[in-house]
Structures are given as C-alpha cells and as structure tokens.
Amino acid sequence: MIRNIPSLLLVSTLASTSAFAEDFDLNALIKAAQSEPALSVYDSTGKIKKQAKAFAQKYGIETTGTKIKAGANIKMVLSETKANNVKSDVVIISDVPAASAQLLSTGYTYSYLPEDMKNKIPAQFSNPLVVSNSPVVWSYNTALNDSCPVDNIWALTDPKWKGHVTMPDPLNKSMYTDFFNQFAMHHDKVIADAYQAHYGKPLKTDLDSATAAFVVALAKNQPLLTNSDGDVASAVGAPDTKENFIGIMSSAKYRENKNGMKLGICASMKPMVGLLYPKFMMITKGTDSPNAAKLFVHYMLTSEGFHPQAIDGKISTNMDNQIPSVEPSGVAAYLDQLMKYNPATAQNDWENRQDWQDLWALARAGQL
C-alpha cells in the first residue's frame, strides 16, 4: 500500500543528536554572515520575496528573493558557473531529478544541513536537504457537486470524463512524468488494484506496467492541459462555470476560495487523494556569501522562516513545524492519503523522463 504520510512529520525516532546543537554556534554564523556581500535567493514561489525581506530585517543582511521556475533556475546556475560569474547564492528547486543530475552531481551546488537541525530533519530528507514537501490534490467544484463525483483515478479515463479532466501539461511540468515513474517503481500494484476496484476485473495490458496503462488511458481521454496550476484552478472552481471538471493542482490555489473560487479536495479518491513533491534547498558552490547562505538555509528550516509557505499547505521537513490551522485547503486532514515522492530514486526518474513524456505524447496523439 501507499506509505503512510504522517511519516513526513512523525518518522521513526532518530538517535539523540544533542551534541550537534552544542557544536553549532548560531551567533558566530550571524556575525560571519553580516560581513559578507548581499544575498540572492531563488525559489519557484513568490513567497520567497516575503521570506527574503523578513530574513533581511531580522539579521541586517541585504537579501533579494526572486521567483523563478525550476528549469530556468537550473539553467541560471549552470550558465553562471560556466561563466565563472556566480550571482546566485541559495537556490530552492522542485525539479529534484534535474537538480540531482545537473547541479548536485556536478558539484555546482552543495547541500548544507545546520548541525542544530540534524535531530529535526528526517534522514531521507537530510542529504540532499529537502526543505519542504508540497501537496497537489485532486479537486472538484463544490458549487456543482455535493461531494467529489469521482472516487477512483481510473474513472478519469472513462468516456464520461473525456475532455473534463484538467491538469498542467506533463510535457511542460515534468513533476507529473516523474511521478509516473515513481508509480511504476514503487506503487504499481496499487495502481493495478485500483483498476480492479473500479472495473471489477483484473487489469490486462501489453504495456510494461499498470502505471503505463493508466497513463495511456488518461492521455487518450484528452484531458484539458494547462500552463499552470492557476489555470487548472480556474477550470475547476471558477464561480461562474457550468461545466464539471476534475483537476489536480497545488493546494496553494485554495487560497482563492476567499475570492469566490469553489475548490474542494476529492477526499474519496483512490488510490491517492494527491501527491507530495519535494524541493531541494542548495547553496551554489561559487557564492561569495557562504555564511549568509548557510544562515538563510537555517532560517528557512525554522517555523518563523518557513511560515509564509506553510500557510499554503507546504509541509516543512522540520518535524517541529506544523501546518497552520489557517491553511485554506484543509490538506492536513489527508496527509496519509497523499503519495510521497522518493528522492532516493530521483536519478531513475531523470533517466526515464523522456520515455514517459514520449508515452504520454503518443497516447494523446492517438498513436497507441
């Protein structure tokens, strides 16, 4: 079965590491950081601007936060490093396979975990450092339905929902093709069991896996593909829409419910209500502010530093940091029903990304 996700917050007890905290001198790090040049940090969420500003005010270190997509972030670090002109200091990237292959393995960035955080960050998120896990959830329109009209992902491949499933384009947002690979590697039996639960008979396929069969069936059903999670949210939950769509999107988009959106989580969806994808937080090897970069990493692992993203439902890997009660989607109630990404097999996801993209494209074009 799918792993129980509270392990993100309550993993098996780690050995006591109080000695680590004793070895860590935050005041010395602050002093060293304050003598360095201004800091530049990059993330795919606009909240990084608020976080950088708060960090600057707290420590008196000039800091700029910039929103940038993962692919552009990686290209920026690569070009700066090759030009021997590194301007970025801390990069937070959600494309874990690409970051692993192109930045960490090449030594263009490195992972840093403050000593006093080693007893707070679960081992599977510590090296490389994962700063957060972000939920994407199957969603429906609460004005058009009393509850989610779909309870199994295979239903989304049925004729009834042709053209009425919406999601970011997997060819542009590789998180989805990476998860296809994750499903096939770690959860394929769960996908096959969901087929039998929906259709009342075992899955028979000439494809390599139950996951591949699902991907082909979903692509053939012509989902409405978008450029962003915001477009998915609009298709599903716009207050004036008359068409029923089921979509998968970031739980952060539920903040628009206060502005009239009608988004609800498909709590009954099997075998998963949604997904959790990680973000690496790395320091660039060529930074001229290494201590300020380390201090910012430390700050982002604290409840104070992470809070602006926590209210969007993003889950800090620091076990002491909880999802705020004001988070608008209510995703905290469904953590045990979200499929978790396994960073340990990110390299395999990278190696197979193109194959899954090709499978999706061929199926959508009716060539399979």
Side-chain angles (χ1 to χ4, degrees):
M1 294 297 291
I2 297 172
R3 289 183 66 179
N4 193 315
I5 302 305
S7 62
L8 290 170
L9 306 175
L10 298 171
V11 297
S12 57
T13 303
L14 301 173
S16 174
T17 54
S18 58
F20 288 135
E22 292 172 5
D23 293 338
F24 181 76
D25 190 336
L26 180 60
N27 289 329
L29 182 61
I30 294 171
K31 184 176 180 180
Q34 290 172 336
S35 68
E36 293 177 340
L39 196 69
S40 294
V41 297
Y42 296 83
D43 196 352
S44 56
T45 172
K47 295 296 178 70
I48 195 63
K49 297 178 182 180
K50 183 176 182 179
Q51 289 168 299
K53 182 178 180 180
F55 174 81
Q57 292 175 341
K58 181 178 180 69
Y59 292 113
I61 299 170
E62 183 181 348
T63 306
T64 301
T66 301
K67 179 181 179 180
I68 185 172
K69 291 184 177 180
N73 202 345
I74 291 172
K75 289 179 180 178
M76 178 188 69
V77 175
L78 291 175
S79 65
E80 288 181 355
T81 303
K82 291 175 181 178
N84 201 22
N85 185 32
V86 173
K87 300 295 185 182
S88 54
D89 301 299
V90 178
V91 291
I92 303 172
I93 296 177
S94 58
D95 191 338
V96 166
S100 297
Q102 296 181 286
L103 299 182
L104 287 167
S105 67
T106 57
Y108 294 162
T109 63
Y110 63 92
S111 178
Y112 166 71
L113 177 60
E115 296 290 336
D116 66 333
M117 293 290 177
K118 288 187 175 180
N119 64 335
K120 301 177 184 295
I121 308 299
Q124 66 266 40
F125 301 133
S126 64
N127 188 24
L129 176 63
V130 173
V131 64
S132 66
N133 288 279
S134 300
V136 295
V137 290
W138 289 110
S139 305
Y140 72 101
N141 187 302
T142 56
L144 299 178
N145 306 274
D146 293 332
S147 61
C148 184
V150 175
D151 63 4
N152 190 303
I153 61 170
W154 282 97
L156 303 175
T157 70
D158 291 342
K160 177 181 178 180
W161 289 98
K162 186 171 185 177
H164 283 78
V165 177
T166 182
M167 61 189 293
D169 189 343
L171 301 186
N172 295 330
K173 193 163 187 177
S174 56
M175 180 195 81
Y176 289 97
T177 47
D178 294 337
F179 261 107
F180 296 160
N181 197 60
Q182 289 270 318
F183 294 169
M185 289 189 70
H186 305 300
H187 306 292
D188 201 60
K189 185 179 184 301
V190 174
I191 303 298
D193 289 346
Y195 178 95
Q196 183 159 357
H198 182 62
Y199 292 112
K201 60 183 180 181
L203 172 66
K204 293 183 180 180
T205 180
D206 294 330
L207 296 169
D208 293 338
S209 62
T211 300
F214 171 74
V215 169
V216 168
L218 181 62
K220 284 184 174 181
N221 221 25
Q222 299 300 311
L224 172 64
L225 303 181
T226 72
N227 292 321
S228 69
D229 289 89
D231 290 340
V232 174
S234 295
V236 173
D240 58 348
T241 187
K242 304 300 181 183
E243 284 192 88
N244 233 351
F245 278 88
I246 299 296
I248 190 165
M249 71 190 77
S250 168
S251 63
K253 299 306 171 184
Y254 278 64
R255 62 176 175 257
E256 295 301 325
N257 278 352
K258 68 181 180 182
N259 298 321
M261 279 283 189
K262 305 296 182 180
L263 298 173
I265 293 178
C266 284
S268 60
M269 188 74 86
K270 304 296 182 182
M272 81 289 289
V273 168
L275 314 168
L276 281 169
Y277 68 94
K279 278 188 175 183
F280 281 164
M281 180 161 56
M282 301 166 288
I283 298 174
T284 55
K285 186 177 181 180
T287 175
D288 58 1
S289 302
N291 291 297
K294 290 179 178 179
L295 184 62
F296 187 81
V297 169
H298 185 275
Y299 176 74
M300 284 290 288
L301 294 174
T302 66
S303 178
E304 176 187 0
F306 191 73
H307 181 76
Q309 294 193 38
I311 59 175
D312 279 343
K314 294 177 175 62
I315 303 169
S316 171
T317 53
N318 183 338
M319 294 182 291
D320 290 346
N321 299 339
Q322 301 298 309
I323 298 176
S325 59
V326 295
E327 187 278 320
S329 76
V331 71
Y334 307 104
L335 294 183
D336 61 345
Q337 299 174 60
L338 303 181
M339 187 175 284
K340 183 174 64 172
Y341 183 93
N342 184 349
T345 55
Q347 185 64 36
N348 190 278
D349 298 334
W350 175 252
E351 293 168 356
N352 288 284
R353 177 178 287 181
Q354 188 63 55
D355 290 342
W356 286 106
Q357 290 176 340
D358 290 345
L359 184 71
W360 176 270
L362 289 170
R364 186 167 171 81
Q367 298 178 23
L368 286 177

